[in-house]
Amino acid sequence: MNKVFILIFSVLFFTSCKQPAKVQNKDEKVVIVPGFNADSAYQYVQKQVDFGPRVPNSTAHKLCADYLSASLKNFGAKVIEQKADLQAYNGVVLKSTNIIGSYNIESKTRILLCAHWDSRPISDHDSNPQNFNKPVLGANDGASGVGVLLEMARVFGKNTPNVGIDIVLFDAEDYGAPENFVGNSENSWCLGSQYWSANPHVAGYTAKYGILLDMVGAPNATFYKEQISMSYAPDVVNNVWSIARNLGFSQYFINENGGAITDDHLYVNKIAGIPCIDIIHFNPNSEHGFGDFWHTVNDTMENIDKNTLFAVGTTLMNVVYKE
Ligand code: AHN
Ligand code: ZN
């Protein structure tokens, strides 16, 4: 091999290997942003779905909790399982576990990254009424956000960011009252995050800001600037959307306002007082505002796309490592 060939070969080799990007952080220091592996994230989504619907009080739910805890430990996080008995709108007591994985526990500057890991007991938005009482598999609604965070955790374990990180996997988000419920259904969603926000895993816990992921795996998903996020944490929204745009992900991160969505971040903002945004698939043209398979029996792996996981994961890696 002559020298020119070796030079060309090595240039091609290293550019095709997705070398970690070098960028400037907020102090204008050059930092390296490690790559986000979407194949790996996809496997973590698959793994959760393989347990079956992770409906609170089910065996699949228990086994999945063990898997999530073990994975975070394996990725070098300090893990806390926060257990609580939470009463659902219909009186059922949900044996719930919020799972927290922390990095750089001594660091004062902390970033909160969260998603819900439970799945919904009923498919009340399915077009076939016979499916209403079947559970949602939750490939997108639940597992996708957790899959992205597990892949980030894997990378944090190898290459710890400058700031403290708390990955909080909320339970009992998706046990909210169906629209036809007669009775008090106020605050029936997001029971795990309501509990954590009032009883954080560390007394007096706070973070610089939080980012919630919800339904981040559908093909061609669209993330609009959600209204609760915009009222509590507009700077965080604008920073995330601008980083996504600079990375070429504007077709996912739409530079327009979306609806106001009751989700875990509402309680993190209201009760815990941590400015927290929601990256959530929003479709302004659909009846309910969400993606096509929302709360149906079709929320399955066929409707998970690695490209979407990649766009969200890569954006978040840049957000975190630029701190
Ligand atoms: C409501 O339907 C009120 N909020 C949606 C929160 C949610 C459910 N995210 C996923 N599943
Ligand atoms: Zn849901």
Side-chain angles (χ1 to χ4, degrees):
M1 279 200 274
N2 67 38
K3 276 187 187 154
V4 175
F5 180 79
I6 291 172
L7 181 69
I8 293 172
F9 175 80
S10 48
V11 167
L12 285 177
F13 179 79
F14 285 113
T15 50
S16 67
C17 272
K18 284 208 199 101
Q19 283 292 89
K22 280 188 187 166
V23 295
Q24 282 193 333
N25 75 357
K26 294 202 164 141
D27 305 327
E28 302 199 345
K29 289 204 187 106
V30 174
V31 289
I32 291 182
V33 181
F36 178 89
N37 187 327
D39 294 323
S40 169
Y42 185 91
Q43 290 307 317
Y44 301 145
V45 180
Q46 177 84 62
K47 185 80 201 208
Q48 295 169 74
V49 168
D50 286 345
F51 288 108
R54 282 82 61 217
V55 173
N57 300 343
S58 69
T59 302
H61 181 262
K62 166 94 190 67
L63 293 175
C64 188
D66 293 345
Y67 159 71
L68 296 172
S69 252
S71 302
L72 288 170
K73 279 181 197 147
N74 189 236
F75 299 148
K78 180 184 178 238
V79 177
I80 293 178
E81 290 186 12
Q82 181 184 58
K83 302 211 180 262
D85 288 352
L86 303 172
Q87 194 169 22
Y89 69 93
N90 58 0
V92 175
V93 173
L94 310 177
K95 294 270 172 199
S96 304
T97 309
N98 293 322
I99 301 165
I100 300 106
S102 300
Y103 293 87
N104 290 339
I105 47 171
E106 62 300 325
S107 179
K108 288 267 170 287
T109 309
R110 311 203 63 80
I111 309 292
L112 166 70
L113 302 172
C114 44
H116 76 91
W117 71 271
D118 62 308
S119 58
R120 183 158 178 75
I122 52 175
S123 295
D124 51 335
H125 278 270
D126 203 280
S127 57
N128 178 359
Q130 297 199 338
N131 289 334
F132 282 11
N133 287 319
K134 294 184 186 159
V136 176
L137 195 50
N140 196 31
D141 190 356
S144 67
V146 173
V148 168
L149 295 184
L150 286 181
E151 168 56 6
M152 294 182 73
R154 187 187 67 78
V155 178
F156 294 160
K158 297 202 300 186
N159 193 336
T160 314
N162 289 327
V163 287
I165 304 277
D166 302 286
I167 294 175
V168 181
L169 308 178
F170 293 124
D171 200 355
E173 187 272 353
D174 228 348
Y175 217 106
E179 274 148 34
N180 62 4
F181 177 72
V182 186
N184 181 12
S185 61
E186 220 189 321
N187 297 321
S188 71
W189 301 87
C190 310
L191 300 179
S193 57
Q194 292 186 56
Y195 183 82
W196 178 84
S197 298
N199 311 275
H201 61 288
V202 170
Y205 175 82
T206 193
K208 187 176 171 191
Y209 59 85
I211 301 178
L212 171 68
L213 301 181
D214 195 2
M215 303 189 278
V216 294
N220 304 310
T222 45
F223 310 117
Y224 286 74
K225 296 179 168 180
E226 187 276 333
Q227 282 314 291
I228 292 168
S229 312
M230 281 306 273
S231 61
Y232 284 96
D235 296 350
V236 182
V237 174
N238 289 329
N239 180 46
V240 171
W241 262 249
S242 130
I243 285 175
R245 178 172 60 246
N246 291 334
L247 291 165
F249 298 133
S250 300
Q251 89 263 33
Y252 297 101
F253 288 81
I254 310 294
N255 192 19
E256 285 175 41
N257 292 331
I261 299 166
T262 298
D263 208 344
D264 293 317
H265 70 313
L266 172 65
Y267 300 99
V268 173
N269 278 302
K270 260 196 354 189
I271 302 175
I274 298 168
C276 185
I277 71 163
D278 194 6
I279 300 177
I280 182 167
H281 184 170
F282 178 76
N283 177 355
N285 304 314
S286 93
E287 199 190 314
H288 46 61
F290 301 109
D292 291 345
F293 304 113
W294 182 68
H295 293 178
T296 75
V297 297
N298 297 314
D299 184 355
T300 58
M301 288 310 286
E302 282 96 89
N303 298 306
I304 297 295
D305 186 343
K306 289 179 187 173
N307 296 302
T308 308
L309 299 174
F310 182 76
V312 173
T314 303
T315 299
L316 285 198
M317 292 297 270
N318 277 267
V319 170
V320 166
Y321 283 86
K322 282 177 187 171
E323 285 294 336

XYZ file of all heavy atoms in Angstrom, residues 116 120 125 141-142 173-174 177 179 189-190 214-215 261-264 278 280 288 290 294-295, ligand 1:
213
model
N -41.810 7.948 31.379
C -42.570 6.972 32.171
C -42.321 5.580 31.609
O -42.136 5.406 30.404
C -44.070 7.318 32.209
C -44.865 7.007 30.979
N -45.508 5.797 30.786
C -45.147 7.737 29.872
C -46.147 5.814 29.641
N -45.950 6.973 29.049
N -50.310 1.499 29.516
C -51.711 1.760 29.854
C -52.538 0.464 29.898
O -52.424 -0.379 28.997
C -52.296 2.731 28.809
C -53.737 3.162 29.074
C -54.054 4.457 28.375
N -55.439 4.900 28.560
C -55.921 5.430 29.682
N -55.127 5.578 30.734
N -57.179 5.817 29.759
N -58.560 4.296 22.957
C -58.649 5.075 21.714
C -58.547 4.178 20.480
O -58.356 4.679 19.362
C -57.600 6.192 21.681
C -58.050 7.404 22.446
N -58.765 8.434 21.880
C -57.931 7.719 23.753
C -59.048 9.336 22.804
N -58.551 8.932 23.953
N -45.456 4.530 23.573
C -45.973 5.206 24.767
C -45.407 4.550 26.018
O -46.053 3.733 26.670
C -47.503 5.139 24.756
C -48.133 6.028 25.818
O -47.392 6.624 26.610
O -49.377 6.107 25.839
N -44.202 4.957 26.323
C -43.515 4.421 27.485
C -42.129 3.936 27.092
O -41.117 4.589 27.365
N -47.846 6.507 35.157
C -48.229 7.709 34.401
C -49.532 7.475 33.659
O -50.353 8.372 33.506
C -47.120 8.059 33.393
C -47.330 9.381 32.654
C -48.154 9.276 31.377
O -48.483 8.158 30.947
O -48.499 10.324 30.814
N -49.680 6.242 33.141
C -50.682 6.010 32.089
C -51.936 5.291 32.572
O -52.625 4.651 31.777
C -50.027 5.227 30.938
C -50.334 5.869 29.596
O -51.215 6.743 29.544
O -49.687 5.484 28.599
N -57.894 8.298 33.961
C -59.308 7.977 33.705
C -59.647 8.123 32.223
O -59.239 9.090 31.580
C -60.193 8.912 34.524
N -62.073 8.958 28.972
C -62.937 10.135 28.804
C -64.370 9.912 29.283
O -65.040 10.843 29.706
C -62.932 10.571 27.338
C -61.761 11.496 27.029
C -61.248 11.354 25.603
O -62.046 11.098 24.690
O -60.020 11.509 25.418
N -53.815 11.164 35.952
C -52.618 10.755 35.205
C -51.378 11.039 36.048
O -51.433 11.810 37.005
C -52.512 11.546 33.878
C -53.686 11.368 32.978
C -54.839 12.097 33.000
C -53.847 10.376 31.945
N -55.705 11.625 32.036
C -55.119 10.580 31.373
C -53.036 9.357 31.444
C -55.600 9.791 30.323
C -53.503 8.575 30.405
C -54.775 8.796 29.852
N -50.270 10.449 35.648
C -48.964 10.858 36.202
C -48.851 10.670 37.716
O -48.307 11.525 38.422
C -48.683 12.336 35.859
S -48.915 12.732 34.127
N -41.570 11.565 25.916
C -42.815 10.792 25.864
C -43.196 10.573 24.401
O -43.437 11.531 23.670
C -43.922 11.558 26.617
C -45.136 10.685 26.921
O -45.126 9.483 26.601
O -46.110 11.230 27.481
N -43.208 9.330 23.997
C -43.584 8.952 22.627
C -42.601 9.559 21.621
O -42.934 10.410 20.810
C -45.040 9.343 22.350
C -45.970 8.699 23.370
S -47.703 8.846 23.058
C -48.037 10.483 23.688
N -50.118 19.921 27.156
C -50.376 18.510 27.434
C -50.089 18.191 28.897
O -48.996 18.480 29.405
C -49.515 17.613 26.506
C -49.901 17.907 25.040
C -49.712 16.143 26.839
C -48.940 17.367 24.023
N -51.115 17.621 29.547
C -50.929 17.152 30.924
C -50.039 15.930 30.878
O -50.416 14.899 30.339
C -52.288 16.757 31.541
O -53.116 17.913 31.565
C -52.113 16.227 32.948
N -48.844 16.075 31.414
C -47.885 14.970 31.400
C -46.999 15.123 32.640
O -47.137 16.099 33.388
C -47.068 15.033 30.092
C -46.562 13.664 29.642
O -46.575 12.730 30.448
O -46.125 13.556 28.477
N -46.092 14.169 32.843
C -45.275 14.178 34.063
C -44.597 15.525 34.339
O -44.425 15.916 35.490
C -44.206 13.074 33.980
C -44.818 11.679 33.997
O -45.738 11.436 34.804
O -44.373 10.821 33.200
N -41.289 18.983 27.989
C -41.764 17.697 27.476
C -41.470 17.627 25.979
O -41.929 18.478 25.207
C -43.285 17.605 27.697
C -43.826 16.189 27.508
O -43.031 15.253 27.327
O -45.071 16.040 27.560
N -42.599 15.548 23.218
C -43.700 14.603 23.040
C -44.227 14.700 21.610
O -44.380 15.794 21.067
C -44.823 14.862 24.084
C -45.969 13.850 23.944
C -45.337 16.294 24.049
C -46.940 13.842 25.125
N -57.083 13.737 18.722
C -56.632 13.819 20.116
C -55.292 14.514 20.268
O -54.829 14.730 21.378
C -56.601 12.426 20.750
C -55.974 11.369 19.898
N -54.676 11.426 19.481
C -56.485 10.227 19.361
C -54.399 10.358 18.759
N -55.480 9.616 18.648
N -52.298 13.398 19.402
C -51.136 12.520 19.490
C -50.948 11.738 18.191
O -51.636 11.972 17.202
C -51.273 11.600 20.706
C -51.389 12.358 21.994
C -52.595 12.396 22.691
C -50.310 13.066 22.505
C -52.717 13.122 23.879
C -50.416 13.786 23.690
C -51.625 13.810 24.371
N -51.776 6.007 19.253
C -51.854 6.366 20.673
C -53.017 5.659 21.369
O -54.151 5.767 20.923
C -51.993 7.885 20.812
C -52.031 8.389 22.219
C -51.014 8.369 23.133
C -53.149 9.012 22.866
N -51.436 8.941 24.311
C -52.721 9.345 24.177
C -54.447 9.326 22.462
C -53.575 9.981 25.091
C -55.281 9.954 23.369
C -54.843 10.270 24.677
N -52.705 4.945 22.419
C -53.705 4.221 23.236
C -54.551 3.262 22.402
O -55.762 3.152 22.598
C -54.565 5.205 24.058
C -53.766 5.915 25.111
N -54.301 6.883 25.953
C -52.449 5.811 25.471
C -53.345 7.316 26.777
N -52.220 6.695 26.491
C -53.651 13.134 28.651
O -54.160 12.338 27.899
C -54.424 14.019 29.554
N -52.336 13.271 28.735
C -51.490 12.434 27.980
C -50.367 11.979 28.795
C -49.906 10.705 28.227
C -50.602 9.556 28.193
N -48.743 10.494 27.682
C -48.703 9.267 27.294
N -49.824 8.675 27.607
